Amino acid sequence: MLDPALIDQCADPSLKPAIVEQFVEAAGSSDPLALAVQSGGRLILVPTPKSPDEALGIVREYAGKAIVRVGITQFPAGVGAKDATELKPDLVEPCGNLRIGTAMFAKVLRIVSKWYGNPKSDEAFAQIFEDAIHAWRTARFEGLNVFRAEDPGGALDAQPNNVVPSETAATSDQPSEPSVPSQAKAKAQDAGIRIDLSRIGSN
């Protein structure tokens, strides 16, 4: 569990503390020096760093040659950097990693939310959050590289205080409205059609 003070001081202010905590729980690590290096779909074994300097050295060694995830948010090292020397110690420092990681995740949430039509209900946000976590792990959403894509902007007004997993999310009282998981299946079958989640959870 993240220290509430760390969230207050370092997390992106556009995200509620509960969303930050659930994001790190779902996609991050409790170890600020945690590294995951992949190349060609295979995990590369690297020495376990014993200090921030060692961790940053490993990141700089593999950045640009492999996919490197680092820190408590498992931030994709190298995004926005033209050269390994531009990678800063913030990547392996808890506050710095949480700051850049949550700022990037907020952008991913905005990208996914816009694709869904910026719905406002808690049930819809549960699906958006789930898709954003998947996009964070894979770097892609509907063929778009979410880390390099332009930020669509806008406020994330629909954030609940707690994300209910979409599998157990409440459905609308209106029988004509499919549940969020059903709409997710429709999206997978036809990625070219935007799915309107704006009415889910409405009475």
Side-chain angles (χ1 to χ4, degrees):
M1 182 175 179
L2 282 178
D3 184 348
L6 184 68
I7 295 176
D8 289 341
Q9 295 172 13
C10 308
D12 190 271
S14 69
L15 297 179
K16 287 186 176 181
I19 302 302
V20 172
E21 188 170 338
Q22 288 179 273
F23 158 55
V24 173
E25 181 180 348
S29 171
S30 60
D31 182 2
L33 302 182
L35 297 176
V37 181
Q38 286 187 323
S39 180
R42 295 184 178 182
L43 187 66
I44 298 175
L45 296 179
V46 296
T48 301
K50 298 179 181 179
S51 69
D53 286 343
E54 285 187 18
L56 188 59
I58 295 172
V59 170
R60 286 174 172 168
E61 178 183 352
Y62 286 97
K65 305 173 186 175
I67 298 172
V68 183
R69 298 299 187 108
V70 58
I72 58 177
T73 64
Q74 288 295 279
F75 185 83
V79 172
K82 297 179 180 179
D83 186 83
T85 58
E86 295 182 13
L87 299 175
K88 300 179 180 180
D90 281 3
L91 285 170
V92 292
E93 192 274 321
C95 184
N97 187 280
L98 188 63
R99 182 177 62 254
I100 60 176
T102 53
M104 180 68 78
F105 185 66
K107 184 186 83 166
V108 175
L109 275 174
R110 286 190 287 269
I111 289 171
V112 176
S113 182
K114 181 180 179 181
W115 189 88
Y116 276 118
N118 294 316
K120 302 297 183 183
S121 72
D122 289 357
E123 292 89 345
F125 187 84
Q127 182 64 55
I128 290 168
F129 182 85
E130 184 177 294
D131 281 1
I133 289 293
H134 181 72
W136 182 266
R137 291 170 175 160
T138 63
R140 306 198 73 80
F141 176 72
E142 296 299 322
L144 183 71
N145 185 316
V146 293
F147 298 136
R148 302 188 184 280
E150 183 178 351
D151 191 336
L156 293 167
D157 296 328
Q159 297 176 68
N161 291 322
N162 185 55
V163 177
V164 178
S166 63
E167 291 80 6
T168 58
T171 59
S172 171
D173 293 334
Q174 302 177 23
S176 60
E177 284 291 340
S179 66
V180 173
S182 296
Q183 293 199 16
K185 291 178 182 178
K187 179 193 67 177
Q189 293 169 355
D190 192 346
I193 298 177
R194 173 175 289 181
I195 301 161
D196 182 9
L197 298 182
S198 61
R199 292 180 293 167
I200 293 181
S202 62
N203 293 318

